[in-house]
Amino acid sequence: MVLLPTKAEVARQLGDYREWERLLLAHPADSAVRMRFEDTAYTLCVLMGECTARVAADAAELYLRPRTTRRARAPRDLQDQ
């Protein structure tokens, strides 16, 4: 049995990760920003069961993507009419 995180939690963690990523890109020498970014990256990795932050972020985006549903097909006997 696999336990999956709630979509709300994944969305929150992914949002935090993206925000700290933007801040780190804007302030690469800021050690406090780097530390917070690394913390959010680690949390996202654990949450998504991945080893790297980039793969965890991709997995989170895929997990949050709405599923497309297939149209129900009419029973075979109705299709022939």
Side-chain angles (χ1 to χ4, degrees):
M1 177 178 185
V2 176
L3 295 176
L4 298 174
T6 65
K7 290 193 182 238
E9 183 63 20
V10 172
R12 188 175 71 77
Q13 291 297 332
L14 181 60
D16 288 352
Y17 170 79
R18 292 290 186 217
E19 182 61 29
W20 285 106
E21 181 180 47
R22 282 189 289 277
L23 287 169
L24 183 61
L25 289 171
H27 308 283
D30 189 325
S31 61
V33 170
R34 178 169 298 282
M35 186 173 67
R36 289 298 302 266
F37 170 73
E38 290 176 359
D39 286 348
T40 61
Y42 176 79
T43 301
L44 191 60
C45 286
V46 171
L47 191 64
M48 299 310 299
E50 299 293 347
C51 295
T52 66
R54 176 65 49 215
V55 173
D58 290 345
E61 289 172 353
L62 183 62
Y63 182 65
L64 294 172
R65 186 177 300 158
R67 289 185 161 203
T68 57
T69 57
R70 293 184 178 182
R71 286 186 351 197
R73 295 181 67 171
R76 187 174 290 277
D77 60 331
L78 293 177
Q79 289 178 355
D80 296 332
Q81 296 177 354

